[in-house]
Short mmCIF file of all heavy atoms in Angstrom, two decimals:
data_model
loop_
_atom_site.label_atom_id
_atom_site.label_comp_id
_atom_site.label_asym_id
_atom_site.label_seq_id
_atom_site.Cartn_x
_atom_site.Cartn_y
_atom_site.Cartn_z
N ALA B 238 54.33 -0.93 190.70
CA ALA B 238 53.29 -1.96 190.70
C ALA B 238 51.92 -1.32 190.98
O ALA B 238 50.93 -1.60 190.30
CB ALA B 238 53.58 -3.04 191.73
N GLN B 239 51.86 -0.41 191.98
CA GLN B 239 50.63 0.23 192.29
C GLN B 239 50.15 1.13 191.18
O GLN B 239 48.95 1.20 190.88
CB GLN B 239 50.76 1.12 193.52
CG GLN B 239 51.10 0.38 194.78
CD GLN B 239 51.93 1.20 195.70
OE1 GLN B 239 52.01 2.42 195.60
NE2 GLN B 239 52.60 0.54 196.63
N VAL B 240 51.08 1.87 190.62
CA VAL B 240 50.69 2.87 189.60
C VAL B 240 50.04 2.17 188.39
O VAL B 240 49.01 2.62 187.91
CB VAL B 240 51.90 3.71 189.18
CG1 VAL B 240 51.50 4.69 188.08
CG2 VAL B 240 52.45 4.47 190.36
N TYR B 241 50.64 1.07 187.93
CA TYR B 241 50.04 0.36 186.79
C TYR B 241 48.61 -0.06 187.11
O TYR B 241 47.73 0.18 186.31
CB TYR B 241 50.84 -0.89 186.45
CG TYR B 241 52.27 -0.66 186.12
CD1 TYR B 241 53.29 -1.42 186.70
CD2 TYR B 241 52.66 0.35 185.24
CE1 TYR B 241 54.63 -1.20 186.41
CE2 TYR B 241 53.98 0.58 184.93
CZ TYR B 241 54.96 -0.22 185.53
OH TYR B 241 56.30 0.03 185.25
N ALA B 242 48.46 -0.67 188.29
CA ALA B 242 47.13 -1.18 188.64
C ALA B 242 46.13 -0.04 188.80
O ALA B 242 45.00 -0.08 188.30
CB ALA B 242 47.21 -2.02 189.91
N LEU B 243 46.55 0.97 189.52
CA LEU B 243 45.64 2.08 189.80
C LEU B 243 45.27 2.85 188.54
O LEU B 243 44.12 3.18 188.29
CB LEU B 243 46.32 3.01 190.80
CG LEU B 243 45.40 3.87 191.60
CD1 LEU B 243 44.75 3.02 192.67
CD2 LEU B 243 46.16 5.01 192.24
N PHE B 244 46.27 3.11 187.73
CA PHE B 244 46.04 3.89 186.51
C PHE B 244 45.20 3.10 185.53
O PHE B 244 44.28 3.62 184.92
CB PHE B 244 47.39 4.25 185.88
CG PHE B 244 47.27 5.06 184.64
CD1 PHE B 244 46.70 6.32 184.65
CD2 PHE B 244 47.74 4.56 183.42
CE1 PHE B 244 46.59 7.06 183.48
CE2 PHE B 244 47.66 5.30 182.27
CZ PHE B 244 47.05 6.57 182.29
N GLY B 245 45.47 1.80 185.43
CA GLY B 245 44.68 0.99 184.54
C GLY B 245 43.28 0.73 185.06
O GLY B 245 42.33 0.77 184.30
N GLY B 246 43.17 0.54 186.32
CA GLY B 246 41.86 0.28 186.91
C GLY B 246 41.95 -0.77 188.00
O GLY B 246 42.14 -1.95 187.70
N LEU B 247 41.80 -0.32 189.22
CA LEU B 247 41.90 -1.18 190.38
C LEU B 247 40.77 -2.20 190.35
O LEU B 247 39.68 -1.85 189.88
CB LEU B 247 41.81 -0.32 191.65
CG LEU B 247 42.69 -0.69 192.83
CD1 LEU B 247 44.13 -0.82 192.43
CD2 LEU B 247 42.55 0.43 193.88
N TYR B 248 40.96 -3.37 190.89
CA TYR B 248 39.93 -4.40 191.04
C TYR B 248 39.35 -4.83 189.69
O TYR B 248 38.21 -5.25 189.63
CB TYR B 248 38.78 -3.92 191.95
CG TYR B 248 39.20 -3.18 193.17
CD1 TYR B 248 38.56 -1.99 193.57
CD2 TYR B 248 40.23 -3.62 194.00
CE1 TYR B 248 38.93 -1.31 194.70
CE2 TYR B 248 40.61 -2.94 195.13
CZ TYR B 248 39.95 -1.78 195.48
OH TYR B 248 40.33 -1.10 196.62
N THR B 249 40.07 -4.71 188.60
CA THR B 249 39.63 -5.25 187.33
C THR B 249 40.66 -6.28 186.84
O THR B 249 41.79 -6.26 187.32
CB THR B 249 39.46 -4.16 186.27
OG1 THR B 249 40.75 -3.60 186.00
CG2 THR B 249 38.52 -3.08 186.74
N VAL B 250 40.29 -7.10 185.89
CA VAL B 250 41.23 -8.11 185.39
C VAL B 250 42.27 -7.44 184.49
O VAL B 250 43.46 -7.61 184.65
CB VAL B 250 40.50 -9.22 184.62
CG1 VAL B 250 41.51 -10.24 184.11
CG2 VAL B 250 39.47 -9.90 185.51
N MET B 251 41.78 -6.67 183.52
CA MET B 251 42.70 -6.17 182.49
C MET B 251 43.28 -4.78 182.83
O MET B 251 44.20 -4.32 182.17
CB MET B 251 41.99 -6.12 181.14
CG MET B 251 41.65 -7.47 180.56
SD MET B 251 43.07 -8.62 180.60
CE MET B 251 44.12 -7.85 179.37
N GLY B 252 42.75 -4.15 183.86
CA GLY B 252 43.23 -2.82 184.24
C GLY B 252 44.75 -2.72 184.33
O GLY B 252 45.37 -1.91 183.65
#
Side-chain angles (χ1 to χ4, degrees):
Chain B
Q239 296 148 19
V240 177
Y241 302 132
L243 202 75
F244 180 63
L247 218 52
Y248 318 134
T249 63
V250 180
M251 292 311 291

